[in-house]
Amino acid sequence: MEELALLRQLIGQLQDLFNLYASPASSSSSSSSYIIHQPYIQLHQQYRPNSRWCVLNIDDSPADDYCDLLMAAGKSGSFRMMENCKPPPSKKCRKERNRGKITGTTEVLDQEIWKEFPEDLFEAIIARLPITTFFRFRVVCRKWNSLLNSQSFSQHCSEVTHINPWFYTITHENVDSGAMYDPSTKKWHHPVISSLPTKVIILPVASAGGLVCLLDIGHRNFYICNPLTQSFKELPARSVKVWSRIAVGMTLNGISTSEGYKILWLGCDGEYEVYDSLQNSWTRPGNMPSHIKLPLSLNFRSQAVSVDSTLYFMRSDPEGIVSYNMVLGAWKQYIIPAPLHISDHTLAECGGRIMLVGLLTKNAATCVCIWELQRMTLLWKEVDRMPNVWCLEFYGKHVRMTCLGNKGLLMLSLRSRQMNRLVTYNVMNREWLKVPGCLVPRGRKRQWIACGTAFYPCPTAIA
C-alpha cells in the first residue's frame, strides 16, 4: 500500500506538469486523462528527441496495470498512446542464466581471420598455460605436439617464471619408477620413464632447468631425464670411482638447458669432478684448497643448493658450509655452528637467501624449525616453525625428517613407526600445508616417500 501511495503521488506530479502545457480532452475522455498540445510536442522533441511519456488514468486502472501503459515518441513527432510494453523479465536462477550465456554467445570463428593469428603470439600463449593443460592440448593435432621440438617455443618457455617447483620422488614400494607432485593442483602424477635401468635403484639428487639428475645407489653412473617428456640420457663414465658418500649439485650455463648445464659431484675426501653437457665429458678442474679441512663429512640426504652459478654444500666437523663457483672454479669455506638440539637438518634456498630446515628436539617435544643465514654475522636466525598443533603429533615419538625439495617451496617427509606425514612449507608466504598421500593408479595403500628433489617443470628441456 505504501508503494501504491508513492506511485499515485508521482503520477499526480506528472499530471500537474501536463496541466501547464496541455488542454482538457474532449467530453468523452476521462477527467483525469490528458493529451499534450502539438506545439509543445514539437518544442519538446527539438531538445529531447528521445523522450518518452506515459499518459495514465489513475482512477480506473489498478496499480499492477500502471507499468503496462507506455506512450513512445516517434521520429515524425506524433505520439502513440496507451501502448502495452513487455513485462519485466522474471528473475532466473544462476544455472539458467549461465546456460543462456553459453548458448547465446556461441559464434562460429571466422577462419579467414584466425588463420592470420601471429605464430609467435600463439606460442607465447601456449607456453604460459599450466603444465598439465599443455600436455592435454598436445593430442589436439600434430602441430601442437611438435611444439616440444620448436626452438622458438623453447625460448618462450624459458621466459616463463614458475612460482612453485614440482617434486620428483622415489617411493619405497616402487624404487624403479618415480612419482611427481604438482603443488598447484595438489595432485600426484606417475610418469613411466621406459629408459631407466630396471635392475638398479636410481635416486634423484639434483635438478636445473627442468632436468633431474639421477644417481644409482652404488654411485657408479649418472643419468639425466625430463620427467615430463621422458627425455633421458646416461652420462659418460667418470674418471674417478668414489664409493663413499658424495654430494651433487647442478647449474645452468644460461637461462635454459639449450645453453648447456654443469654437474658437480663432491666426495668426502675432497675429490670432485665437473660434467659439462656441451662437451659431454667429465673434467677435474683442480685440487681442493689446503685451507678447507678434510674429510668434509657430507650428509648424503642433504642436497646442494644453487644461487646463480654457486653451489653450497652443508658439512660437519667443523660445522659449516662449503661453496663452489662453477664459473670461476673457486672453493670457499664458512664455519657456521648449527643451532642447538637440531637433527636431520638440510640446506634450502629462496630468492638467493640460504635457509636451514631441521628438527628441533628438546626433552620429549619435537618441532620443525626454519632458520635463515645472516650474511653479516654468519649465524643462523630462526624465522619460523611448524604450528604447535601439528607438532603435538610428534610428542614422545622418535621422528625422522627428509627434505625432498629445497627451492623456495620445501617438501618435508616426517615419519616414525606410528605415522608418515608429508608437508610443504612456502618460504616466502610462511605457509604450512599438508600433502595428500601418494597413491599409485588404482591403488589404495599410501606409499612411503624415500627421497626426492624439486625441479621447475619445463616441457622443452632436453637431456
Side-chain angles (χ1 to χ4, degrees):
M1 295 302 294
E2 182 179 356
E3 291 79 1
L4 180 59
L6 292 174
L7 184 59
R8 289 178 182 272
Q9 181 181 359
L10 177 60
I11 295 174
Q13 294 176 355
L14 290 176
Q15 288 179 340
D16 293 339
L17 179 62
F18 292 159
N19 290 336
L20 298 177
Y21 303 97
S23 61
S26 60
S27 58
S28 59
S29 301
S30 173
S31 59
S32 57
S33 297
Y34 299 89
I35 301 177
I36 303 177
H37 278 307
Q38 189 69 20
Y40 173 73
I41 295 176
Q42 296 175 354
L43 178 64
H44 184 74
Q45 288 184 339
Q46 181 179 358
Y47 295 99
R48 300 185 61 185
N50 297 324
S51 299
R52 298 179 183 272
W53 295 86
C54 186
V55 178
L56 305 173
N57 189 323
I58 63 176
D59 295 330
D60 300 330
S61 301
D64 294 339
D65 294 338
Y66 291 159
C67 295
D68 296 333
L69 306 177
L70 177 66
M71 181 174 66
K75 293 183 180 180
S76 62
S78 62
F79 281 15
R80 289 186 303 169
M81 301 178 58
M82 311 300 291
E83 182 174 303
N84 290 333
C85 64
K86 294 181 180 180
S90 59
K91 187 175 182 180
K92 298 180 180 181
C93 64
R94 181 179 301 176
K95 185 177 181 180
E96 293 179 354
R97 294 198 303 269
N98 293 338
R99 186 185 300 115
K101 292 180 180 180
I102 295 174
T103 59
T105 58
T106 301
E107 297 179 2
V108 179
L109 298 180
D110 190 345
Q111 294 184 2
E112 294 297 325
I113 297 177
W114 285 95
K115 73 177 183 179
E116 303 296 335
F117 193 81
E119 190 71 19
D120 57 342
L121 183 58
F122 168 78
E123 293 184 354
I125 294 174
I126 296 295
R128 284 157 176 79
L129 289 176
I131 296 297
T132 53
T133 303
F134 168 75
F135 279 92
R136 287 200 302 267
F137 282 0
R138 287 181 61 194
V139 301
V140 173
C141 60
R142 293 181 179 178
K143 181 178 180 181
W144 286 22
N145 186 47
S146 64
L147 287 176
L148 293 179
N149 301 321
S150 170
Q151 184 65 29
S152 58
F153 182 68
S154 178
Q155 179 65 26
H156 285 298
C157 289
S158 64
E159 297 172 356
V160 178
T161 302
H162 294 278
I163 300 177
N164 290 325
W166 283 27
F167 299 92
Y168 182 79
T169 64
I170 299 297
T171 65
H172 285 286
E173 292 80 2
N174 293 283
V175 294
D176 56 346
S177 63
M180 294 188 303
Y181 179 69
D182 178 8
S184 60
T185 60
K186 298 182 180 180
K187 291 184 179 180
W188 286 94
H189 304 276
H190 298 271
V192 179
I193 305 177
S194 57
S195 303
L196 280 177
T198 57
K199 297 183 179 180
V200 63
I201 299 177
I202 306 297
L203 307 176
V205 291
S207 69
L211 298 178
V212 175
C213 179
L214 306 169
L215 175 65
D216 65 53
I217 198 170
H219 299 178
R220 293 182 178 87
N221 300 307
F222 280 89
Y223 308 89
I224 296 294
C225 79
N226 185 338
L228 298 179
T229 62
Q230 316 305 317
S231 175
F232 178 85
K233 181 175 71 173
E234 181 178 355
L235 301 188
R238 294 170 292 158
S239 60
V240 179
K241 301 295 183 181
V242 177
W243 306 102
S244 63
R245 289 183 176 181
I246 65 173
V248 182
M250 185 175 179
T251 60
L252 295 177
N253 294 339
I255 61 175
S256 67
T257 56
S258 61
E259 301 178 58
Y261 56 87
K262 291 184 174 66
I263 299 173
L264 167 72
W265 69 262
L266 173 65
C268 293
D269 56 0
E271 291 185 299
Y272 67 96
E273 281 188 310
V274 176
Y275 171 79
D276 189 339
S277 64
L278 299 180
Q279 303 296 329
N280 192 29
S281 62
W282 294 92
T283 59
R284 186 171 184 178
N287 298 320
M288 184 73 66
S290 58
H291 69 274
I292 297 181
K293 183 180 179 181
L294 299 175
L296 294 176
S297 301
L298 300 172
N299 189 340
F300 179 71
R301 294 184 299 104
S302 299
Q303 301 176 24
V305 297
S306 61
V307 179
D308 298 328
S309 59
T310 301
L311 292 171
Y312 295 86
F313 303 89
M314 186 177 62
R315 63 163 299 171
S316 58
D317 193 26
E319 295 176 333
I321 296 175
V322 291
S323 68
Y324 181 75
N325 189 300
M326 299 286 270
V327 176
L328 303 177
W331 286 96
K332 290 184 179 180
Q333 178 177 249
Y334 307 90
I335 304 302
I336 308 172
L340 298 177
H341 313 293
I342 190 176
S343 61
D344 292 350
H345 45 295
T346 180
L347 290 180
E349 179 271 337
C350 180
R353 297 178 296 161
I354 304 298
M355 316 295 292
L356 183 70
V357 54
L359 288 177
L360 186 64
T361 303
K362 195 172 182 180
N363 298 329
T366 302
C367 187
V368 181
C369 293
I370 310 294
W371 293 267
E372 180 180 347
L373 181 62
Q374 306 300 298
R375 295 187 178 183
M376 297 298 295
T377 61
L378 288 182
L379 296 175
W380 296 109
K381 177 183 178 182
E382 183 178 337
V383 293
D384 200 6
R385 62 173 56 193
M386 181 178 286
N388 292 331
V389 177
W390 293 12
C391 295
L392 290 177
E393 299 183 59
F394 311 148
Y395 188 83
K397 299 177 182 177
H398 180 66
V399 181
R400 299 302 304 270
M401 185 188 75
T402 302
C403 186
L404 307 175
N406 51 17
K407 299 180 182 298
L409 184 69
L410 317 181
M411 177 183 281
L412 307 176
S413 173
L414 300 160
R415 61 193 184 277
S416 67
R417 291 184 178 180
Q418 299 85 5
M419 71 168 194
N420 177 25
R421 296 285 186 272
L422 288 175
V423 299
T424 58
Y425 175 70
N426 191 310
V427 179
M428 292 296 295
N429 302 334
R430 297 188 177 183
E431 181 182 35
W432 299 85
L433 293 176
K434 293 184 178 181
V435 176
C438 179
L439 299 175
V440 296
R442 296 178 297 275
R444 296 183 179 181
K445 183 179 179 181
R446 293 200 308 174
Q447 296 188 322
W448 285 57
I449 304 298
C451 62
T453 187
F455 73 101
Y456 288 98
C458 180
T460 59
I462 301 177

